[in-house]
Amino acid sequence: MAMKVADLLVEVLAEAGVRRIYGVVGDSLNGITDSIRARQDLDWIHVRNEETAAFAAGAEAHLTGKLAVCAGSCGPGNLHLINGLYDCQRNRVPVLAIAAQIPSPEIGSAYFQETHPEHLFAQCSHYTELVSHPEQMPRVLEIAMQTAISRRGVAVIALPGDVALQTAVEDKPRLHFPTPQPSVCPSEDEINTLADLLNRSKRTTILGGAGCARAHADLIALAGKLQAPIVHALRGKEFIEYENPFDVGMTGLLGFSSGYHAMMNCDVLLMIGTDFPYQQFFPKDATIVQIDLRGEQLGRRSKVDYGFIGDTKTTLRSLLPKLEQNQDDEHLSRSLEHYRKARKGLDDLAVGQPGKKPIHPQFVTRVVDQLASEDAVFTCDVGTPTIWAARYLTMNGKRRLLGSFNHGSMANALPHAIGAQVTYPGRQVISLSGDGGLAMGMGDLLTLKQHDLPVKTIVYRNDSLAFVELEMKASGFVDFGTDLHNPDFAAMAEGAGVLGLRAETPEQVEPMIAQALKHDGPALVEVLVSRQELSMPPTITLEQAKGFGLFMAKAVLSGRGDEIIDLARVNLLR
Ligand SMILES: Cc1cc2nc3c(=O)[nH]c(=O)nc-3n(C[C@H](O)[C@H](O)[C@H](O)COP(=O)(O)OP(=O)(O)OC[C@H]3O[C@@H](n4cnc5c(N)ncnc54)[C@H](O)[C@@H]3O)c2cc1C
Ligand SMILES: Cc1ncc(C[n+]2csc(CCOP(=O)(O)OP(=O)(O)O)c2C)c(N)n1
Ligand SMILES: [Mg+2]
């Protein structure tokens, strides 16, 4: 039988190493799903909402670094992909979305389910193209794939159902080379300038981010030469925090005061592979140096005195031999001492006394951290689970942490966990879910059973949209619209074929989480946690808090004593 455009599309993806497509079927996708059905080397991962498909593909791409694929049928089917694709694009992970389109002769007639994917996806992709003729395949598809891989982000192919069913003109891929991995380094002159500058500084602080992945040893060697404390941005946590004697924690409103002070007290701030977004947390007087693979990132978040384009590993390897050993360790020791105190302060909050309610979410996270396997993949919902993950999960170089950290979408944790578990069936995958987040995407709890995915979901049940409630209280709004009238999540899980457990007192937390982790299949532990936990930011002024969502500083300054006492009480009564 002649090869169809859909067959060719699937063939090209399979040849490029794609092993699965996440999505929901639909008339306009029939050609593609039929050609997937007919082969053994590529799976269709049927989820319950296309948004989940996009988040799941994003998790796969994040974990493997390779192209992952999701698909939605025409109109509403692919519209559902958008929020998840924004997340992929903002996380800079290579994802191809197949957006099926209405029959090509109907385009432009406001036909049933008609939308224009080329416009809709333009903002959350580097490339979006309509395939309107078989001759465009596989070239347009390969341009899309190549763009997603090399620019690290989203590319979208809009393909009308009828075009997918036409006879293909070509019959195989045109491209056969492995993913390019160039080394990018600043010029020799630039490296010399950088080395001179760093050799002259006695108080350098490094701010590292996700761009430091795979350069751990070089980063540690750099900090050793410079006697520099290392602060990390949240997406860099999994790559920087572990086995790091220079670690002084994260900065930002959810960060550690030690991270904040290490940045504020330096004379040179060296930013490496980070897009830490909050301008208020950058020092005003220090010399700021930034190294990033993408030139357009330089100076985006603060003034930058010296900007260099390079990948972290290559740049540090060229730089290190030119650095002299800094003999002055005062800045480093003070920062480390500060970190020890800040860490202890946070650790003291992560306790649970038998019989004493409420259960503190910090304690829950600490227990999860202690019981999780060496190479667990954690996902966390936007909301307070992001805070607990940032502060209480220990990374070790093998564990991974995924969240919607740049896009900031609720309900990401379960879909990310689905993608992670499909990608690594033998690995422990733990979703730290908010009760609001879980409810928002609850349909895909069913996917765990359907695909036999042993994801462990920990639900921080605080009966509220607590993160926003905290923001409202702290900034002087009367909290509104944040109450959640929740179901019995454990019973619901059981109804969905997932082991469901419910911890109501601190002493139940550890045995139940242990039981869930040991369970041979999907499990959900609903933990009744306190509704208000003061997530103290590092020392900041009102001016610095402006424009940031979490106005804790304003809470202190607002003079609304009742709310402050209310917030404080949860902590005072520990
Ligand atoms: C509710 C909430 C609260 C948050 N609060 C905080 C907070 O208090 N503190 C905090 O830190 N974050 C916080 N975040 C996360 C924050 O929004 C950002 O996502 C995070 O700070 C970005 O981390 P990053 O710089 O490591 O990663 P990215 O934003 O991914 O930046 C990575 C950078 O590295 C570059 N790069 C990539 N590869 C290389 C390479 N090989 N070599 C060199 N450069 C490379 C990229 O071009 C990019 O500029 C919060 C998120 C949420 C949802
Ligand atoms: C899709 C989406 N809608 C709304 C928000 C605003 N928002 C941020 S966190 C949050 C509350 C999350 O509640 P929950 O999942 O219960 O976590 P909690 O903070 O209560 O632990 C909301 C509404 C968002 N970030 N994303
Ligand atoms: Mg909640």
Side-chain angles (χ1 to χ4, degrees):
M1 262 209 334
M3 198 179 213
K4 299 191 188 77
V5 168
D7 301 328
L8 177 59
L9 177 143
V10 176
E11 171 69 17
V12 170
L13 293 177
E15 274 284 304
V18 172
R19 287 291 158 263
R20 60 194 67 86
I21 300 178
Y22 304 86
V24 179
V25 297
D27 177 31
S28 48
L29 267 177
N30 280 350
I32 293 170
T33 43
D34 192 52
S35 105
I36 294 171
R37 183 190 56 74
R39 50 195 301 161
Q40 307 298 319
D41 55 353
L42 207 131
D43 294 326
W44 177 252
I45 308 295
H46 165 205
V47 293
R48 302 304 178 110
N49 183 316
E50 294 84 352
E51 178 169 318
T52 303
F55 274 114
E60 175 175 336
H62 180 108
L63 291 171
T64 63
K66 297 191 179 131
L67 185 73
V69 184
C70 58
S73 57
C74 65
N78 64 56
L79 272 179
H80 267 188
L81 292 172
I82 285 189
N83 190 45
L85 289 181
Y86 259 97
D87 192 64
C88 299
Q89 175 81 346
R90 302 293 313 271
N91 279 344
R92 304 185 182 88
V93 292
V95 168
L96 174 79
I98 302 167
Q101 176 58 307
I102 58 161
S104 51
E106 298 290 353
I107 292 176
S109 72
Y111 185 66
F112 174 64
Q113 296 188 323
E114 179 167 359
T115 60
H116 288 95
E118 310 90 291
H119 301 301
L120 288 168
F121 292 96
Q123 280 182 25
C124 61
S125 67
H126 292 302
Y127 181 86
T128 302
E129 201 51 74
L130 173 72
V131 177
S132 40
H133 202 279
E135 254 103 1
Q136 286 172 280
M137 287 291 270
R139 189 157 64 109
V140 167
L141 172 65
E142 288 174 336
I143 294 171
M145 292 163 67
Q146 197 53 33
T147 306
I149 292 165
S150 57
R151 294 193 64 189
R152 297 193 63 78
V154 173
V156 183
I157 288 288
L159 181 63
D162 58 307
V163 178
L165 292 173
Q166 287 177 30
T167 303
V169 177
E170 307 279 337
D171 63 352
K172 54 183 179 301
R174 297 157 58 253
L175 305 184
H176 296 283
F177 50 83
T179 304
Q181 289 178 323
S183 302
V184 182
C185 194
S187 68
E188 204 179 334
D189 281 354
E190 288 175 308
I191 291 286
N192 288 337
T193 306
L194 178 56
D196 282 351
L197 178 87
L198 294 173
N199 284 335
R200 272 185 275 119
S201 163
K202 295 288 165 245
R203 285 183 296 137
T204 302
T205 292
I206 296 170
L207 171 64
C212 293
R214 292 172 296 279
H216 189 268
D218 304 294
L219 189 68
I220 301 296
L222 175 74
K225 280 265 174 113
L226 301 174
Q227 294 291 290
I230 304 180
V231 181
H232 61 264
L234 182 50
R235 293 195 74 242
K237 177 181 165 83
E238 57 175 341
F239 307 116
I240 295 175
E241 199 182 42
Y242 69 98
E243 292 168 22
N244 179 350
F246 305 95
D247 174 35
V248 295
M250 193 172 92
T251 185
L253 270 164
L254 310 187
F256 293 49
S257 50
S258 49
Y260 172 82
H261 284 295
M263 276 178 58
M264 289 304 174
N265 295 331
C266 65
D267 55 26
V268 172
L269 176 68
L270 177 55
M271 297 169 65
I272 310 178
T274 177
D275 192 19
F276 173 74
Y278 313 119
Q279 294 185 46
Q280 304 89 326
F281 289 82
F282 284 92
K284 296 272 177 299
D285 302 324
T287 301
I288 302 188
V289 183
Q290 184 176 6
I291 301 168
D292 202 288
L293 186 56
R294 298 175 175 80
E296 72 270 23
Q297 296 294 109
L298 302 177
R300 207 166 257 241
R301 306 295 174 202
S302 83
K303 64 119 187 173
V304 160
D305 301 286
Y306 298 86
F308 301 98
I309 299 175
D311 73 66
T312 302
K313 196 174 206 152
T314 316
T315 308
L316 297 194
R317 290 203 169 168
S318 306
L319 176 67
L320 277 165
K322 306 201 172 199
L323 291 180
E324 292 152 15
Q325 180 62 48
N326 179 9
Q327 303 295 344
D328 185 343
D329 70 349
E330 197 196 326
H331 175 55
L332 175 63
S333 358
R334 282 178 56 179
S335 304
L336 288 173
E337 183 51 31
H338 196 148
Y339 173 61
R340 269 189 287 278
K341 285 197 191 125
R343 183 68 264 177
K344 181 168 183 319
L346 289 176
D347 290 343
D348 289 347
L349 300 175
V351 288
Q353 290 168 28
K356 198 161 174 219
K357 289 189 192 175
I359 305 176
H360 296 296
Q362 297 92 327
F363 169 62
V364 177
T365 319
R366 173 50 50 86
V367 170
V368 171
D369 184 52
Q370 284 167 349
L371 297 180
S373 65
E374 275 289 281
D375 66 346
V377 178
F378 300 94
T379 67
C380 61
D381 262 337
V382 166
T384 67
T386 295
I387 310 177
W388 314 135
R391 293 180 174 176
Y392 294 100
L393 292 182
T394 317
M395 296 291 112
N396 59 10
K398 292 183 255 18
R399 287 180 169 184
R400 303 296 308 267
L401 174 63
L402 283 78
S404 181
F405 298 143
N406 283 349
H407 183 48
S409 171
M410 271 176 79
N412 62 289
L414 179 64
H416 275 156
I418 288 172
Q421 193 75 81
V422 169
T423 309
Y424 295 123
R427 214 158 148 177
Q428 190 177 68
V429 177
I430 303 176
S431 169
L432 306 183
S433 299
D435 46 0
L438 182 68
M440 194 176 257
M442 201 134 62
D444 271 298
L445 206 53
L446 307 179
T447 301
L448 302 184
K449 181 68 185 166
Q450 176 147 358
H451 284 286
D452 207 12
L453 301 173
V455 168
K456 315 303 177 197
T457 305
I458 311 295
V459 188
Y460 291 75
R461 177 175 178 155
N462 48 27
D463 292 324
S464 72
L465 301 170
F467 192 84
V468 175
E469 189 163 281
L470 192 71
E471 289 176 334
M472 287 175 173
K473 281 180 187 297
S475 52
F477 289 105
V478 174
D479 44 296
F480 176 76
T482 54
D483 262 359
L484 296 176
H485 294 211
N486 275 319
D488 179 335
F489 285 107
M492 274 195 36
E494 288 284 333
V498 172
L499 171 70
L501 303 168
R502 179 184 166 102
E504 298 182 7
T505 57
E507 66 273 20
Q508 291 176 315
V509 171
E510 182 161 345
M512 284 188 182
I513 291 178
Q515 185 186 346
L517 294 182
K518 277 200 207 92
H519 179 66
D520 183 19
L524 177 149
V525 188
E526 167 182 19
V527 189
L528 276 53
V529 296
S530 53
R531 182 161 176 158
Q532 286 173 25
E533 284 287 336
L534 197 55
S535 323
M536 268 317 267
T539 316
I540 57 162
T541 63
L542 178 58
E543 186 55 34
Q544 285 162 330
K546 254 188 211 159
F548 191 98
L550 192 66
F551 280 79
M552 292 307 304
K554 207 169 168 188
V556 181
L557 299 173
S558 72
R560 293 181 79 234
D562 50 338
E563 294 297 351
I564 293 162
I565 290 164
D566 195 20
L567 277 171
R569 205 175 47 211
V570 181
N571 294 271
L572 293 176
L573 292 181
R574 282 172 165 284

